[in-house]
Amino acid sequence: SAVISQKPSRDICQRGTSLTIQCQVDSQVTMMFWYRQQPGQSLTLIATANQGSEATYESGFVIDKFPISRPNLTFSTLTVSNMSPEDSSIYLCSVVSQGQFFGPGTRLTVL
Amino acid sequence: RKEVEQDPGPFNVPEGATVAFNCTYSNSASQSFFWYRQDCRKEPKLLMSVYSSGNEDGRFTAQLNRASQYISLLIRDSKLSDSATYLCAVFGNAGNMLTFGGGTRLMVKP
């Protein structure tokens, strides 16, 4: 399976600021996704990160709030913009490589 | 109705017990099925895929019932280290993507 790393692993941010999360994969993958897991909840797909084109967002998520970049087949970023306490969550990068696998997650707390 | 549904538990079982979880899905056209394990404050990790014929990996057995639209996970001879949340995931239940259930929490006690 692919090895996935995320940075930062955790952060505490002030309301109104933005945070960019990086996801790096050790091999080229076609399918890359960003998920959110709020406390005590299951995983919710935010968007599919498409290489060379705009991300595909799920219902309830918009580009202005969660801009995504995918400059190549091994890297993607997710930005959480204009944060509020409701954005406190774990953000997970995921790839498909002989199965679907997850990065270690970024634990975000917004004060 | 949720698209992929699980009993949240917790299931509290003694060591050595056999425990089973079910997961129902809403779309009969769903294509692939998986069980993930998630430890506290960690990412989900793929436990096993679920094949039409069922599959077994050591103490773990996964089965698919297409007629009733559910998958199951059976854990035999439970260990303390099996304590975790078990998430089912269904591909194709709602579009071309994995949809996760809410997870079932298992606590194995000495």
Side-chain angles (χ1 to χ4, degrees):
Chain A
S1 63
V3 176
I4 309 166
S5 60
Q6 282 184 237
K7 288 196 296 188
S9 59
R10 58 177 63 232
D11 208 340
I12 300 173
C13 301
Q14 295 294 327
R15 184 194 297 259
T17 63
S18 298
L19 175 72
T20 295
I21 302 167
Q22 298 179 13
C23 175
Q24 180 74 54
V25 190
D26 70 341
S27 58
Q28 293 187 337
V29 293
T30 304
M31 305 291 287
M32 186 180 278
F33 307 94
W34 286 99
Y35 285 82
R36 180 172 75 182
Q37 187 173 31
Q38 294 182 303
Q41 304 293 315
S42 190
L43 297 125
T44 301
L45 181 63
I46 297 171
T48 302
N50 300 309
Q51 193 265 327
S53 64
E54 194 171 285
T56 305
Y57 290 84
E58 298 302 312
S59 175
F61 298 96
V62 295
I63 188 171
D64 289 346
K65 175 68 176 176
F66 296 102
I68 287 171
S69 79
R70 179 97 192 266
N72 57 53
L73 292 176
T74 63
F75 185 78
S76 178
T77 67
L78 168 75
T79 299
V80 187
S81 303
N82 188 25
M83 289 184 284
S84 67
E86 293 70 36
D87 294 321
S88 297
S89 187
I90 299 172
Y91 292 85
L92 295 140
C93 170
S94 178
V95 304
V96 174
S97 174
Q98 296 181 324
Q100 185 161 342
F101 300 92
F102 290 85
T106 296
R107 186 176 296 273
L108 171 63
T109 301
V110 184
L111 302 177
Chain B
R1 180 186 169 189
K2 290 182 184 175
E3 295 172 349
V4 179
E5 200 157 359
Q6 295 180 250
D7 181 341
F11 284 55
N12 295 298
V13 303
E15 266 188 294
T18 295
V19 61
F21 314 130
N22 282 346
C23 167
T24 59
Y25 59 95
S26 60
N27 188 343
S28 60
S30 298
Q31 299 161 31
S32 309
F33 308 87
F34 308 90
W35 283 103
Y36 282 79
R37 171 191 169 131
Q38 186 172 26
D39 292 289
C40 189
R41 305 176 81 84
K42 299 283 190 182
E43 75 275 19
K45 293 189 177 171
L46 182 63
L47 180 64
M48 56 200 309
S49 303
V50 187
Y51 304 122
S52 296
S53 55
N55 51 313
E56 188 172 316
D57 182 3
R59 298 182 293 108
F60 298 82
T61 301
Q63 292 191 314
L64 166 64
N65 185 318
R66 281 198 182 271
S68 300
Q69 293 181 207
Y70 73 88
I71 61 173
S72 63
L73 178 67
L74 180 81
I75 305 175
R76 287 180 297 278
D77 188 22
S78 300
K79 311 290 184 192
L80 295 176
S81 57
D82 293 332
S83 298
T85 297
Y86 291 84
L87 298 157
C88 66
V90 179
F91 183 82
N93 192 79
N96 221 23
M97 55 184 261
L98 267 186
T99 303
F100 285 84
T104 298
R105 190 167 172 213
L106 171 65
M107 297 180 68
V108 182
K109 308 212 168 191

